Amino acid sequence: MAFSSRRGGWAHSLLPSSNSKSKIPRKGRKRTFIKDFFLANFFTIGLSLSIIFLLFVTFRYGVPKPLAFKSTNSRLPKFRKSVPRKPISPEVAAASGAAVDITTKDLYDKIEFLDKDGGPWKQGWVVNYKGNEWDSEKLKIFVVPHSHNDPGWKLTVEEYYDRQSRHILDTIVETLSKDVRRKFIWEEMSYLERWWRDASSTKKESFINLVQNGQLEIVGGGWVMNDEANSHYFAIIEQITEGNMWLNETIGVVPKNSWAIDPFGYSPTMAYLLRRMGFENMLIQRTHYELKKELSWNKNLEYIWRQSWDAEETTDIFVHMMPFYSYDVPHTCGPEPAICCQFDFARMRGFMYELCPWGEHPVETNQENVQARALKLLDQYKKKSTLYRTNTLLVPLGDDFRYISIDEAEAQFRNYQLLFDYINSNPSLNAEAKFGTLEDYFHTLRDEADRINYSRPGEIGSGQVGGFPSLSGDFFTYADRQLDYWSGYYVSRPFFKAVDRVLEQTLRASEMLIALLLASCHRAQCEKLPTGFAYKLTAARRNLALFQHHDGVTGTAKDHVVEDYGTRMHTSLQDLQIFMSKAIEVLLGIRQEKSDQTPAQLEPAQVRSKYDIQPTHRVINPPEGSAQSVVLFNPLERTRNEVVMVVVTRPDVTVLASNWTCVKSQVSPELQHDKSKIFTGKHRLHWRASVPALGLETYYIAVGFVGCEKAKPAKLKFATKSNHLPCPAPYSCSKLEGDTAEIQNRHQTLTIDVKLGLLQKISHKDGLQSVVGEEIGMYSSWGSGAYLFKPTGDAQPIIKGAGQLVISEGPLMQEVFSYPKTTMEKTPISHSTRIYNGEKNSIQEFLVEKEYHIELIGQDFNDKELIVRYKTDIDNSRIFYSDLNGFQMSRRETYDKIPLQGNYYPMPSLAFMQGPNGHRFSVHTRQSLGAASLKNGWLEIMLDRRLVRDDDRGLGQGVMDNRPMNVVFHILAESNISSTSNPVSNPLPLHPSLLSHSVGAHLNYPFHGFIAKKPQESAVQHPSRYFSPLASPLPCDLHIVTLKVPRPSKYSQQPPEGSRFVLMLHRRKWDSSYCRKGRSQCSSIADEPVNLFSMFKGIAVLNARATSLNLLHENTEMLGYNEQVGETAQEGPVIISPMEIQAYKLELRP
């Protein structure tokens, strides 16, 4: 994302007087007589220590087993072994969390957020240096040429490739080949793979040579540079793995340095995943400008990022944070952009880029001016160096879509080489400058940190890289200047944020079915279907990966680019659903022909007619005397008992199980967002379904089936000012009396305000009462855009009256539907509140389902942002917890010293509040949104936004392409059963309860329903059709992230001993202050080992090897795991620590 449109306002500034802090004094040398003693007796001392250590290890651990290990890296990472500071029990570790030097909470508490003008470096101070800082260790400068290529933003990925990216890659190959001193880094595999398809064999060979000789480094190597606020961890793993595996298979390298200069804030989830993928170092840029200033002042811009739960330092990864406003050249060479801009030689007259907005422009370097120019540039380098601890300096050299022509690249390389030559030929300058890669920089920095002790007294640091502080926390919400907080993109284009997650869970389910097909089938015939689908599977993986780009899932691209992303996802969704239909037929024995050619007999229960339209339920209409089969696939690792729903044309239907026994069911009218016609004329059929883990179950919807009770019609109650709501047949209707109404199941009673149609209260049968105080409101926001949220005042309630209220009461599902009267002429929202009666103690019985239908369409809603607010009675002191990437929780605190928009945070899947009495209020979502707690007891969630104006961040448009959409929340009110942490005094994040984890899993990984295209005669009863592949359900806190065959197209060519399947498991951490078994049907947790070899029934696991999360490393110690991970996998039983994700390569056979 470019910055070119927003530099002008930074050209002129005042110069306050301030001094930078001097470098930390280094430790003195050891006395010479000690050194002489060691040198004289070196061999004897070394041999003695070695023998003692060998005897100790043999006595303690026995004779070590040989390890079979093949590295994909040419150089093993130079990690020190992580050692806890002192022995810590798992219980203590879990309670205390990570010991670190810095937390982002501490930084927020300390910083005053005054936005003081710092002079040339507007957001910092006037940086000076003494001049002697480099006397003993010269300044080593690595200038890193780069080009930031967005896979979609103002143009689509294909348009960018055709107009810019292919020329950039051509340019890199040609210009680097001319001079071995030239270097470059490249990040996005989406563009590299596209170029590789077009490139000549000569260009490909040159590219590989440049990578192998260290001139060209692939950094990150994901399919895209993913967003870190809205992306789910499943999709992040997918997109990095897709890029890394293509890179390894095509070019033979595996990246180890991550480069993330443009995501709008950063998540520790990314640090964790990268560490477990074998990455050694990270670089980040867009963090709050006040936070950068604080870290710069204390020389803490380079640190070890540690996860908040990690008491044993196993998640540590080294991070370099860039100090200034942007990643462009004016903001990377040093603190004074007016000077740095003069060294962006692509801005010389004659090139396509804008001239320097500060008035002084770059000029060609020659023998006459080289001295003055080099000293001017070196002055900036030295000033920048004082912000860091070491004398190794990183200077990026690039911007969006740079190096597009040979002339441009030559201008940069030629001029800089002359400047470097001058600096390097003058020893008195105590500096050496050259082009470099990230690997060059980090390798030199680590070498310097090994030689010189930069640690501060009392600093915890890390056992992996000495001399740097440790840090935990996240970097949201990002502000780049003044009061401009980037919290708008948490919600922009929410329709497509929802499609993203549907594609994600459909891809995951399809991968599972491919693995189960190949694992459970005896004949080569069975390989035809999955291997024939391999091309479309790869396209689906890549379309999901592409949308994780930081201008994709963020909703911050131009309209036609959003359409391109949406169309790609829609195409893949359809492909996956067709494949799933056929795969299910094979697994159930319906489909005898195993090829991909014959049409499926099943079709998805929900269908999408177009990329930007909500899915609709396929209507079931069996003729008299016939039945239509419905097949449900359960993508979770435990048996699910759940009330499910399909739409039927007639209410007199019967539900039958796969063995043709009767199933109790309920029918209620289908409702819609239409003031003049609330009832569609169709019916919703509910019944209790039970589907085994990773399994399939069949049900039949029959008409005229003798011997079974028909679906029971719900009773309807109306509240409406106008009396034109007709009572649909065959339901009994009555008028609602009183100001409140109630719906209830065996665990909870909901109280509804009839006048407004809003949820007031949840009362539990155990005595817990939770005030909910639902309110729907609207911000007026004249300054907001796709990126920024800049409200004008507080949100105002918009509900004036209940409008039309319909209550449906039945034995399985009870619902309140409200089409409210609002302050606008056109109502932008209608909503349903539901509770379920499932099996006893089923997860569904404990939750409240809220479904909001939103239509923020038309001029009435210009510059409006729609929210729902729950004004509870929880005394949370404006502290709440929101998830990061669906992986972990983060503690959020509302600060008066930052504006409302800065107190909004990402909510990809969960937010909860907790009071000192232990009462909890949780809201689960199936798409990413933004959340805040602006007043005590309030939890506010933004649902949609419609904005006319561009917010001056380069996009050049507002967000006006709103679509009708549904947002579904699952709300949980809980009370603790034992003493729990006080959110005010505990700075660490709290964890969801076991029940809460289950609620979130059921919402985000729903049943996949398929319906037979043709009905069958109910007199002809087929044998029972179901599929159940697991020997027993997995423990309740263990989640299958994925079960897949990474390369199905090569399945038959790969030897079985190569372990062609991958199983990835995540052990969730949960709060034991709440009911241990989650009040749900939970039989075990993962304290005991899980035996991979006995996981399945009818499927044999022949071998298992631990691997990295990108599937490319098998040295588990290098990934930060403890030693047992690699060993136990080969033997079968595996123990996974809470929060860990572990991947295993397996071989499965029938």
Side-chain angles (χ1 to χ4, degrees), residues 538-554:
T538 299
R541 289 173 179 171
R542 291 178 177 179
N543 285 335
L544 176 67
L546 183 68
F547 195 61
Q548 304 316 305
H549 164 55
H550 57 263
D551 284 306
V553 69
T554 53

Side-chain angles (χ1 to χ4, degrees), residues 1077-1098:
K1077 292 189 176 176
R1079 296 193 293 190
S1080 58
Q1081 296 151 347
C1082 178
S1083 55
S1084 66
I1085 54 171
D1087 287 340
E1088 298 298 317
V1090 174
N1091 195 323
L1092 298 180
F1093 294 150
S1094 58
M1095 243 181 90
F1096 300 95
K1097 63 183 179 196

Side-chain angles (χ1 to χ4, degrees), residues 402-415:
R402 284 299 191 89
Y403 300 86
I404 198 167
S405 67
I406 301 295
D407 287 349
E408 180 196 335
E410 288 295 340
Q412 300 283 32
F413 285 123
R414 178 181 67 246
N415 280 282

